[in-house]
Amino acid sequence: MQKIFTLLFILLIVLSCETNDTGNTADKDSFMRLYGGSFLDEGHKVLQTQDGGYLLAGSMADENELSDMYLLKTNSTGDIAWHVTLGDSLNDYAFSFSLSDDQSVLVAGTTTLVGSNKTNALAAKVSGTGNVLWERNYGSSNNEQIKDVIGTSDGGYMLAGYTNAAGQHDIFLLKISATGDSLWSKTYGGSELDEAYAICHSHNGGYVLFGTSESFIEPGQASANMLALEVNENGVPIDRSTFGGELNDLGQAVFKTTNGYIFTGTTNSFGAGESDIFVVKTSTNIHDIEWSKAFGGTETETGNSVVQQADGNFTIAGKTDSYGNGSNDVYLIILSDQGNMIMEKTYGSTGSEWANFLTQTSDGGFIFTGATSHAENSMITLIKVDKDLEQH
């Protein structure tokens, strides 16, 4: 299913910001853009490109509420340079992408198979000018879901997610070549639900997968826990570690830091509210927890993305129902390298807004994507703020 149009809406709603920081506002560019039609659209990842613009991947739905993978290239202020849709006649979702030095893109996600209603991994290679080079499905008679992808040192790609091959969800890792050939795949897990939502390069030349496990429970833990799984370059397991307490704790994002890893997600075990953002910092040894903290108010918060800043601090992006204006608002937190809060800010209207992914930009600010929802409609958001999280 291919769409031939994209509607760009600029500041159709007024977003407000609230902060408890009293620092100075830096002189940085900022903007907010909305992309989509009158159905259900959502952004899942954004990165800055070599020309100072941005590349965004997500999904865009039609009048039948069927979604396509959506890849969008903008200039430095969010104006559309080109866009492509990918997928077939059923639901297809882009959850992540890997950007190569030549600015070509490997988009990864999930496709629904025609005639079976099962899902497979879907990957597509797109040139830096928006030309689709190839598109392939991967999987079996089971359901596969791909949530993240990274490039590998040999020019290929590693796709991470989960499959229900054993009756319950198991972590799924797929290695493909630069031209899209499937090289190998592996599953990991126990007798219960195990899912990967993120992957990063490890400090040992392999990979760290991060997500949620109901199979692996340590003393003092119960139900679902955050799971960090380290594998070598061939996918052979090296180590695993779980983070959590006696209730559900769900892993969402990982970032390889200069001296270890930082993980984020959502906790029901710790914090002040029904659920809170949970952040765990480890050394290069995933068992060596340097600190772990929960952030949020009396309602619900979720952590969806984390990045280490150039100054060594950390920025977390997600959503909050405790603060802000609507039922949900975008929630950004800046933490010191010791996990102490430096700044927090919300962005939203009277509807529901959330951030799925955030990264730091070359000017020291941040760009993030997600969605804004009103009634039965949601649109892709692309928001640029300065280093103090200000829009001006």
Side-chain angles (χ1 to χ4, degrees):
M1 175 174 55
Q2 296 287 320
K3 284 203 183 74
I4 60 173
F5 64 89
T6 298
L7 301 178
L8 171 60
F9 295 85
I10 303 175
L11 298 176
L12 291 181
I13 59 175
V14 177
L15 293 186
S16 66
C17 303
E18 295 180 0
T19 179
N20 65 358
D21 175 61
T22 58
N24 293 328
T25 300
D27 183 20
K28 298 292 184 180
D29 291 340
S30 63
F31 63 82
M32 191 276 285
R33 296 287 186 267
L34 303 178
Y35 310 94
S38 56
F39 304 105
L40 299 175
D41 310 312
E42 185 171 4
H44 286 286
K45 184 171 181 177
V46 61
L47 290 177
Q48 191 170 32
T49 52
Q50 290 178 354
D51 61 2
Y54 302 99
L55 192 68
L56 183 154
S59 59
M60 188 168 286
D62 63 14
E63 64 276 8
N64 298 313
E65 297 186 0
L66 296 174
S67 293
D68 279 332
M69 279 185 164
Y70 185 62
L71 186 66
L72 169 71
K73 173 69 174 67
T74 78
N75 66 8
S76 61
T77 56
D79 298 324
I80 295 176
W82 54 260
H83 63 95
V84 295
T85 55
L86 303 155
D88 56 26
S89 59
L90 295 180
N91 284 315
D92 307 286
Y93 301 96
F95 290 110
S96 186
F97 64 86
S98 177
L99 183 62
S100 301
D101 290 341
D102 64 0
Q103 300 299 281
S104 62
V105 189
L106 191 285
V107 190
T110 299
T111 183
T112 303
L113 302 179
V114 177
S116 68
N117 209 34
K118 291 185 176 293
T119 59
N120 273 177
L122 176 62
K125 191 69 174 288
V126 180
S127 74
T129 56
N131 296 315
V132 180
L133 304 178
W134 52 261
E135 183 178 331
R136 295 196 184 184
N137 292 2
Y138 310 89
S140 61
S141 58
N142 304 301
N143 290 303
E144 283 79 30
Q145 297 270 347
I146 295 300
K147 298 299 184 180
D148 202 7
V149 60
I150 56 173
T152 57
S153 58
D154 60 2
Y157 302 93
M158 200 71 76
L159 287 69
Y162 53 88
T163 178
N164 67 347
Q168 282 281 3
H169 287 176
D170 284 329
I171 292 171
F172 180 60
L173 185 64
L174 171 66
K175 174 67 187 300
I176 66 173
S177 70
T179 55
D181 296 324
S182 177
L183 302 179
W184 52 260
S185 66
K186 295 184 182 294
T187 60
Y188 315 89
S191 59
E192 303 298 329
L193 180 145
D194 305 286
E195 298 175 343
Y197 284 87
I199 185 172
C200 72
H201 293 279
S202 74
H203 286 273
N204 300 316
Y207 308 93
V208 173
L209 295 92
F210 185 59
T212 301
S213 174
E214 294 180 355
S215 297
F216 306 113
I217 298 175
E218 302 296 332
Q221 298 175 345
S223 195
N225 295 283
M226 292 182 172
L227 171 68
L229 174 66
E230 185 174 358
V231 302
N232 69 12
E233 62 181 0
N234 297 311
V236 177
I238 297 173
D239 202 359
R240 71 169 185 256
S241 182
T242 56
F243 317 121
E246 296 183 350
L247 299 176
N248 288 325
D249 305 290
L250 311 176
Q252 189 66 36
V254 58
F255 191 90
K256 179 184 176 183
T257 68
T258 53
N259 60 355
Y261 308 96
I262 189 163
F263 306 90
T264 194
T266 303
T267 180
N268 294 116
S269 299
F270 311 110
E274 181 178 342
S275 65
D276 287 288
I277 293 174
F278 193 37
V279 186
V280 179
K281 174 68 174 66
T282 72
S283 70
T284 56
N285 180 342
I286 58 176
H287 290 280
D288 180 21
I289 298 175
E290 297 177 348
W291 51 262
S292 63
K293 297 189 178 183
F295 302 91
T298 58
E299 302 298 329
T300 60
E301 279 74 40
T302 60
N304 292 330
S305 183
V306 60
V307 65
Q308 185 174 37
Q309 301 173 191
D311 61 7
N313 293 332
F314 305 107
T315 305
I316 315 295
K319 67 179 180 180
T320 177
D321 195 29
S322 299
Y323 314 118
N325 296 301
S327 58
N328 284 296
D329 283 325
V330 172
Y331 190 34
L332 302 190
I333 304 172
I334 294 182
L335 306 178
S336 73
D337 59 359
Q338 299 300 310
N340 299 314
M341 184 181 288
I342 297 173
M343 188 186 310
E344 61 181 342
K345 188 177 273 291
T346 64
Y347 309 81
S349 67
T350 56
S352 181
E353 287 78 34
W354 61 94
N356 288 324
F357 190 90
L358 171 143
T359 191
Q360 191 168 33
T361 54
S362 58
D363 64 1
F366 302 94
I367 188 89
F368 55 93
T369 189
T372 179
S373 177
H374 293 264
E376 300 300 318
N377 163 249
S378 66
M379 299 181 69
I380 296 169
T381 54
L382 182 65
I383 301 177
K384 170 73 171 64
V385 297
D386 67 19
K387 67 180 181 65
D388 297 313
L389 308 183
E390 295 288 348
Q391 288 185 302
H392 50 84

